[in-house]
Amino acid sequence: MIEQSKNLDEFSVLVSIPGIGPLTAALMISELGDIRRFSTSNQLNAYVGIDIRTHQSGTMRKKDRINKRGNARARKILFFTIRNMLKTQKSPPKFLTRTTAVPTDCRILG
């Protein structure tokens, strides 16, 4: 599968991203196919099943969730790819770091 994917332009682009190796790139290409068929990122999100589902009725609004109606294997590949990308970063993303100090008088209530 890797040998067949090496001939494609997408393969070299994907492998150049930190956290994506040859196997992951080949799996993404095989699951997504020709990515140029999606004219917007929303179409790709819907195909994979990571588009946001909102539920509200009157004044009640539930928490947003991903749809999970798309390609489950592609969603799983993307999940592990993003996890590997976060692991290979030298420092964690800003939204994962604590910006304020925890007060010293805080205790866990049990």
Side-chain angles (χ1 to χ4, degrees):
M1 183 175 0
I2 295 172
E3 293 301 322
Q4 293 174 346
S5 299
K6 282 185 180 180
N7 300 333
L8 302 172
D9 295 334
E10 294 89 356
F11 183 81
S12 59
V13 172
L14 287 172
V15 173
S16 69
I17 300 171
I20 298 181
L23 179 60
T24 305
L27 288 171
M28 288 177 75
I29 291 169
S30 68
E31 283 301 321
L32 297 177
D34 186 14
I35 202 165
R36 291 180 215 103
R37 66 187 166 139
F38 304 108
S39 58
T40 65
S41 60
N42 289 339
Q43 289 178 346
L44 178 60
N45 288 345
Y47 176 78
V48 176
I50 57 174
D51 52 331
I52 301 297
R53 177 179 67 189
T54 304
H55 178 77
Q56 70 183 60
S57 174
T59 59
M60 180 196 69
R61 184 168 187 225
K62 291 189 175 182
K63 186 178 177 182
D64 293 341
R65 297 176 178 216
I66 63 170
N67 224 344
K68 292 188 180 178
R69 284 192 300 187
N71 188 330
R73 282 183 286 186
R75 192 168 48 249
K76 191 176 196 178
I77 292 167
L78 285 175
F79 171 79
F80 286 113
T81 301
I82 292 169
R83 191 177 74 171
N84 287 339
M85 292 169 90
L86 290 173
K87 282 182 181 180
T88 60
Q89 285 184 344
K90 303 229 184 273
S91 62
K94 291 188 180 193
F95 66 88
L96 293 179
T97 59
R98 187 175 297 221
T99 57
T100 58
V102 177
T104 57
D105 60 342
C106 286
R107 291 180 281 163
I108 297 175
L109 301 175

